Amino acid sequence: MPPKIEKEPIKYYSHHLDPSMKWLPRPKGTCDESYYVETVTLLVNWFRFFDKNIYDREYYEYFAEMYKEKRYLDKKTKSFRTKQMPYPIPERSEAFWKHLRFEQQKNPFQIEDYVFDEKDTVYSIHKTPNGMLSEIPDPQNRDIKSVLKIYYKRNFKLYFSREDPARDEEANRSCKFLKNVMTQKVRCAPYMANEIGFQIAKNFIYDGNSILRIPESFHDSDRFEHSLEIAPRIESWFGIYIAVKELFDGAPVLNFAIIDKLFYNAPLMSLLDYLLLIVDPNTQLDEARKNRKEQLKSGNLTIKENMFPKINELLASLKLKAASVWNPKRSEFAERHLTFIRLSKYNSHEEIIPVPRGRDRNAPIDRVSLFRIYEKNQKYIEFPRLPLVVCKSGNNEYSVPMEFLEVHEKPQRYKNRIDFAMQDKFLKAATRDPHIYKREAIEMLKDLNFSSEPLNFVERFGFSTDPKMITCEGKVLKEPSLVNKENKKINMTPVVRGFQEKALNVVPEKELCCAVFVLRDDEDREPCLEEKEVTRFYKALIDGCEFRSIRVEKNQNSPARSLLQDSQSGNYGFYKNVQLTAGVSNFRACVNDAKAMFERLPDKNNKILLFIVFSKSHWNFYGFVKQFCDVELGVASQHVTSHTAKKALNELSSGKKRIFYQIALKINGKLGGVNQELDWSENAEMTVEEKEKRKNMPLRMYVGIDVTHPTNGSGIDYSIAAIVASMNPGGTSYRNMIVTQEESRPGERPVAHGRERTDILEGKFVQLLKMFAENNDNRIPSQIVVYRDGVSDSEMLRVSHDELRSLKAEVERFLKERGKNEQIPEYTFIVLQKRHKTRFFRKIENERPKDEEAAKRWDEELKASQNTGYVNPTSGTTVASTIVSKYKFDFFLSSHHGALGTSRPGYYTVMHDDQKMTEEEIKKMTYDLSFLSARCRKPISLPTPVHYAHLSCEKAKELYRCFKKNELGTLPRQPRRKDIEDYLQTNIQYPGMSFA
C-alpha cells in the first residue's frame, strides 16, 4: 500500500445565489387540442443508458499532480537538492497513461477503471483514500524521474438537474465527469501500446466534447478528397457531439449529434508547398508545384504583398515544426515547435541579426543577414527572395525561412474567420438530409464501439447506451391567420406553409429613387460587374419591386426607370467604376455626390432614396457601406455581392426571378414598409366602430435581445449587445439599439469572457419606449414580451432574473419621466436556445393516404427519404412531453420546415409570465412571430424579434471591424464606449429597419 499523501483541501469559488431566482413551472391544465391540426411520431437523437440505476452508483474524484523531479548538486552547500518541473498541460495525458501502465506492471489492475481530464482531475470507480504515488526513472539520466501523485478528493453520485441553483456545481461536475468517460477511449488511444489504441488514434480525434473522424487522406495524400475541401487543404470533418440531457421522468440520457468542424489537412507538408496551394490553386499536383518552385528559385516568381492578408488569415495559429531555427538570444540553431503569426516584410537577405563575436558581454556586435547566418552553418536557403515567416514558440518570436518549416503532423482545427466562398462550401459539405443524418449518427456510434475491449471505459463506468433513438410525440400547430392589405386571409402551402401572395401589405408612400455604385478593387482592372450586367440586374430588380407593389417610376420601357437623375446636368446616379485606390474615400465622395443630386430634385419630397452597392464577396467592405449610408447619412442601402448578382442573372435567363423578389422584400422593410401582417391589416379600410375598438385594445411590445462575444478571428474586442423592439400593434415594424457591454481598448487582443453580461439595457430601452409611444398616439405598451437569445443552461436563471429586473427599472424610469398615472406593463420573458444539438426526425405514415393531394405529398416525402420514411418535421411542430423538463416551462418548436439538410428546432424556456398565458397560447404567439420576418415569405426558424436582434449584432460586428480599420488611428484619444456606440447606432432619420 503506497504511503498516504497529505494535501491542503481544494477551495472552490461559489457565486452569491439570489433566493428569488426560481424556475417558472409549467402551467397546469389539460392540453387544448383546438390549437393543433395533427399529432405526429418523432425520433429524437437522444439515447438511453442500458443501466436504469446510474443515479445510485458512487464514483470517486482525485486530484493529479505531475512533474519531473531533477536531482542536482548545489555548488554553494555541496549537498544534493531536488527541483520540480511541472508537466505542461499538453504533455500531461501521455505522462498520466505512461504512469498507469507502469504501475499496472507492478500491481495488476484495470486501466479502464480510471479516467483523466487531461489537466489535473482523475475519476475512478474505486475508492483509494491513500491516493497513488508513481515514480518512473529517466532511462537516460538517473538524476531525473517522472512523478505522478494522485490525491483522494471526494466521492459523489450523479446529479444533472438544474432545478436547484445551489446545486449547480454538482450538476457541472457530473456533466464534466460523464463527458470525460464517454470520450476517454479516443483521448487516451494515442498513448496505449496496443492495436486497438493505434487504430482509434489513426481514425478519430477528440475536440471540445466532440469525437471526429479523421479522413483517410490525412494519412495518404493520394486519397485526398476535394469534396470536403473549402479552402486549400482546409477540410470539413464530421463527427459526434456528446451532451447530457434529462427526460421528463428525470432519467439521464445522452444526446449524440452529428457535428462538422474545419481542420487543416496538410500533415508534414512543407509550408512552402502549402503556400503555393493558397496562392495558386493549379499547384494541386506535385509536378506543378515543382515547376513553381523552380520559378521561385530563379527569381521569376514571388509571393506578392497583396496576398499577405489572405495568407495570414488562413494560416493564423497554424502549428509548425522546424529542425533549424536561429535563436538570436543564444546565437545558436535549435529545433522548435512553432505557431504561425504572419509573413514578414523582409526576406532572408533583408533580415539583419545582431551577432556578438564571442561569449563576452562586451564582445563587439556584427550585423549579419539571416541568409549569411544559415549559409555559414551549412544550411543553405534555396529561396532567399521569399518572405520570412514570423513564428512563436513560448514567449519568443522567430523569423524562419519558409522552406525550413513543416506543418505539424497532428490534426489541427481551423479556427480563423471564413469568407463567403468558404462559408458556401462548408454549408454544402455539412448539409445532410434527415435520413442521412440519422444513419450516419448510428454508424458513427457503432464504429466507435464504446463498450469494446480493451479501452472499454464506458462499460466499466456503467454508461453503455442503447443505440436506438428515443421516440416522442409531436403536435402540429394550426397555421396563423396571415392577411393581405385588404384584410383577406393569405393562402399557405402545406408542410412548408409559404405565403401565396405577391403584393406587400404596406409600401412607402413615396416613389423609389435609386443610385447605383459598382466597386472595383485597386488590384483589379475592371469593376466587379460589367456595365451590361449591372444594367440588366437593376432593371430586373425594379421589375421585382413593382411586382411586390413598391411604387416605381411609370416608364415601363426605360432601363433607367427609378434611377436618380440630376435635374441640372441630366447625369444619372450610376457610378459604374468606383475604384478603391484611396481606400473608402472614393466611395464616400460618390455617395455624397448622389445625395447632393437627390437634394437638388424639385420633386424630392415625393421620392425616397435608396443606394444599391455592388462589390466582391471577399472584400471587407460591407461594414463601411453600412456605416456611411445607415449611420452617417441615414439613407437606406442594399448591398449585393457580385456572386449573388451573377447567380440571379443566370436564373433570370431561364425565367426565374426568385432572387429579385427576395431583395425587393428586404428593400421594402428598409424603407419602412410592412410585408405581411397577422389577423388584421393596420392600413385596411375599416368602420368607425372597428377603428375605435382597435384604438382601445391593449398594446403589446415584442422585444428581442442578443449578445455576441469576442472570439478568435471575430475581429471584435468586446461584447456587443443588440436590443430590438416592435413599434406598432401588429409587431411588424421594429427599431434597434446597440450597446457595448464593457470598457475595452479597441485593437487589442480579444479576450472572450464567456459569460452573458446583464448591463445591456442601460438607458437604451427608455429610448425605444419613447419611440413606441410616438408611433402609437402617445400610448405605452400594456404587455412587454421579451425573447432572449444565446443563454446557456447554467446562466439562464441569473441572466433572465437580472435582465428582467433591469427592464422593469427602465420602464419605471420612463413612466416617471412621463409623469402620468399609467399602469405598469405585464412582462413575459422567454429564453431561446438555438445552438443546441437536438434534432427531430418525423416518421411518415406507413400507409399511403387516400386523398389525392396528401398521397402526392406522401410519395414525394418517401422518395426524398430514400424509402426510409424519415423526413424533417412539418412547420409548426411542437414537443412538450418526454424530452422536456419536469420542473420548468420549456418546449421545442420547429417553426420552419427545413428544405435543406436536417432542421434544428428552437428550444424555448419561459422564465417569467405576468399574463398567465396557457402553454398553447405561448406556443401560438411564438409560432406566429416566426411568420413576420421582412426577409422571406415563409416562417423562419425563430421569432422575428430575436431574429432581428441577431441580425443587428452581426451587422454591428461588421461596422466595428470597419471602425478599427478606418477610424481607430484617426482619433486623438482612446475611444470610449459612447464613441463606439455612436459609430454603430443607426441614424434616427433612417426610414425603416436597417437590419432587414
Side-chain angles (χ1 to χ4, degrees), residues 673-674 676-678 682 726 728-734 932 948 993:
V674 174
Q676 59 264 352
E677 296 170 283
L678 286 167
E682 294 180 27
S726 60
N728 61 344
T732 56
S733 179
Y734 289 78
L932 297 181
Y948 285 164
M993 299 183 293

Side-chain angles (χ1 to χ4, degrees), residues 620-868:
N620 294 320
F621 198 70
Y622 174 85
F624 181 79
V625 169
K626 291 300 177 182
Q627 199 283 329
F628 189 56
C629 299
D630 299 4
V631 179
E632 288 196 34
L633 299 181
V635 176
S637 61
Q638 180 61 51
H639 180 260
V640 183
T641 66
S642 56
H643 172 76
T644 299
K646 290 178 179 179
K647 181 180 178 182
L649 292 174
N650 287 336
E651 291 185 3
L652 185 63
S653 300
S654 57
K656 297 177 182 177
K657 301 179 180 180
R658 177 185 59 87
I659 294 178
F660 299 103
Y661 294 159
Q662 288 293 110
I663 295 176
L665 294 176
K666 298 173 69 174
I667 288 173
N668 193 54
K670 291 175 181 180
L671 296 179
V674 174
N675 294 352
Q676 59 264 352
E677 296 170 283
L678 286 167
D679 299 328
W680 51 274
S681 177
E682 294 180 27
N683 286 12
E685 293 184 8
M686 61 188 81
T687 63
V688 176
E689 292 79 10
E690 182 68 20
K691 283 185 179 179
E692 194 62 29
K693 178 183 176 182
R694 291 182 182 173
K695 188 182 292 184
N696 295 321
M697 286 175 63
L699 294 177
R700 177 180 284 176
M701 173 190 267
Y702 296 105
V703 178
I705 301 175
D706 194 10
V707 182
T708 182
H709 299 297
T711 57
N712 288 334
S714 67
I716 61 174
D717 311 304
Y718 56 91
S719 297
I720 295 175
I723 175 169
V724 303
S726 60
M727 294 290 114
N728 61 344
T732 56
S733 179
Y734 289 78
R735 290 293 181 270
N736 72 332
M737 286 288 164
I738 301 295
V739 189
T740 60
Q741 282 201 278
E742 57 191 28
E743 295 293 347
S744 61
R745 295 184 176 180
E748 291 188 354
R749 180 177 180 271
V751 178
H753 50 66
R755 291 180 63 245
E756 294 290 323
R757 297 290 298 273
T758 55
D759 54 351
I760 67 174
L761 303 178
E762 47 182 32
K764 304 294 182 180
F765 193 61
V766 172
Q767 298 179 48
L768 291 171
L769 287 167
K770 289 178 180 177
M771 285 187 253
F772 183 93
E774 291 170 4
N775 283 278
N776 291 279
D777 299 322
N778 203 30
R779 296 174 65 201
I780 65 169
S782 57
Q783 303 165 355
I784 296 177
V785 178
V786 180
Y787 285 91
R788 174 65 156 96
D789 187 21
V791 185
S792 65
D793 289 343
S794 59
E795 296 260 318
M796 195 179 294
L797 262 179
R798 182 187 62 81
V799 169
S800 57
H801 177 269
D802 291 350
E803 288 185 2
L804 183 59
R805 183 173 55 190
S806 177
L807 188 79
K808 291 179 177 180
E810 295 270 297
V811 174
E812 289 177 12
R813 174 181 164 187
F814 171 67
L815 294 177
K816 188 175 181 180
E817 288 178 4
R818 284 169 65 89
K820 298 181 179 181
N821 187 22
E822 294 171 300
Q823 186 174 355
I824 296 175
E826 295 178 322
Y827 301 93
T828 300
F829 197 101
I830 303 172
V831 172
L832 160 64
Q833 292 174 308
K834 62 179 185 293
R835 294 188 179 179
H836 58 81
K837 300 295 186 292
T838 298
R839 299 292 184 272
F840 294 135
F841 309 89
R842 175 166 60 92
K843 183 76 171 71
I844 64 175
E845 297 295 330
N846 292 326
E847 295 184 6
R848 189 173 186 267
K850 295 180 180 179
D851 177 75
E852 187 175 340
E853 264 193 50
K856 183 180 178 182
R857 272 199 315 274
W858 189 89
D859 291 339
E860 290 173 351
E861 290 183 336
L862 189 64
K863 182 180 178 181
S865 72
Q866 295 184 357
N867 296 323
T868 62

